[in-house]
Amino acid sequence: IGGGLLSAKFAEKTLGDVFEENMLFYGVKLSGPGVLLPGGEMDFNILYHSGAPKPYAKYSGWQTKGMIILLDALFIQQTSLGRNLLVYYGLGPLLHINKYEVYIKNALTDAKEFIDINDVRIGTAFAVGIGFRLKSLALKFEGKYNYDRAPYSGLGFAMQFEL
């Protein structure tokens, strides 16, 4: 179990277009056999970003608020390159949850109106990485590719402790 960071070139398909933006996600990473299901190696990631993508503020003309949560469960295949070094790749389902608070201008009355945008999407996550073990500490660096409504990729880092 440990903490994780993902710096992603996040893509959001909305307003008739696909918008990309660099975003930082942080959260928890669980790794090992039997993390969620009995059997082989898995990585389970819970990642959070505070804020709404910038296109919402750009098109509304007002400040937006929100959050994004990414949950994935990767089935891992790994190869040891020594006693304390391994390379791995994983593939699995992705659950993308977002909640945005957006204000828009009513074209008829010029009044500021609130819109609550909630969305849940199911997609696929893929990762390839390298892990180092230092006694009971593991450091992982990985490239990540997610696809739900639009594809996006990023670089991740995790620091995990053996329980």
Side-chain angles (χ1 to χ4, degrees), residues 140-162:
K140 288 186 173 180
F141 300 90
E142 64 186 25
K144 199 118 186 213
Y145 180 84
N146 291 346
Y147 185 88
D148 49 62
R149 192 176 295 153
Y152 50 98
S153 58
L155 295 174
F157 169 75
M159 185 182 307
Q160 298 178 282
F161 299 93
E162 195 173 333

Side-chain angles (χ1 to χ4, degrees), residues 69-73 92-98 119-125 145-152:
I69 298 173
L70 302 175
L71 305 166
D72 66 50
L94 166 73
L95 182 64
H96 172 142
I97 303 165
N98 62 31
D119 196 12
V120 176
R121 302 186 281 231
I122 295 174
T124 303
Y145 180 84
N146 291 346
Y147 185 88
D148 49 62
R149 192 176 295 153
Y152 50 98

Side-chain angles (χ1 to χ4, degrees), residues 48-121:
Y48 173 82
H49 173 80
S50 178
K54 290 179 183 159
Y56 290 100
K58 178 183 171 188
Y59 281 96
S60 74
W62 286 289
Q63 180 70 26
T64 58
K65 297 178 185 175
M67 66 166 196
I68 302 169
I69 298 173
L70 302 175
L71 305 166
D72 66 50
L74 303 177
F75 298 93
I76 299 294
Q77 293 295 314
Q78 61 189 22
T79 300
S80 178
L81 298 178
R83 191 164 169 241
N84 296 314
L85 179 66
L86 63 86
V87 292
Y88 63 93
Y89 69 91
L91 179 69
L94 166 73
L95 182 64
H96 172 142
I97 303 165
N98 62 31
K99 177 178 175 44
Y100 306 141
E101 297 175 3
V102 179
Y103 290 91
I104 61 168
K105 183 177 178 181
N106 184 314
L108 299 174
T109 65
D110 275 349
K112 185 177 178 181
E113 294 184 4
F114 172 76
I115 297 177
D116 196 15
I117 301 172
N118 299 306
D119 196 12
V120 176
R121 302 186 281 231

